[in-house]
Amino acid sequence: RKSPDLVKRVIRLEEEGYAATLGEGLKRLENVLAGAAAGTPLAGADVFQLTATYGLPLDDILEVAGDRGIGVDLESFK
């Protein structure tokens, strides 16, 4: 049987790790958006890496990119 303190500590560490990974993903999204050529959608491979490696939800990527007038190549993402 696991002690409640151990369980709480493990949960806290997991939350902190996820937050750090998500923060890194947001930085990378900013870099990808900054490097996007005018009128060119974000490459599906870049979007896939942001979702698979950094846990950024696709909907959030679409929203941030859309707010900046940048599309996403969803066909190559799939």
Side-chain angles (χ1 to χ4, degrees):
R1 178 161 133 76
K2 304 283 184 213
S3 79
D5 290 338
L6 175 62
V7 172
K8 288 177 187 177
R9 188 175 65 152
V10 169
I11 290 171
R12 182 179 46 78
L13 290 172
E14 287 293 322
E15 289 173 342
E16 290 171 359
Y18 177 74
T21 301
L22 193 59
E24 182 62 29
L26 290 171
K27 287 182 201 173
R28 295 208 182 231
L29 174 59
E30 289 298 327
N31 289 336
V32 170
L33 291 171
T40 304
L42 295 182
D46 290 333
V47 176
F48 180 80
Q49 182 182 35
L50 291 167
T51 59
T53 304
Y54 299 100
L56 287 178
L58 178 60
D59 289 342
D60 291 350
I61 295 170
L62 292 171
E63 182 177 341
V64 171
D67 287 348
R68 296 179 189 196
I70 300 172
V72 173
D73 185 352
L74 291 175
E75 191 61 35
S76 67
F77 170 75
K78 294 176 186 176

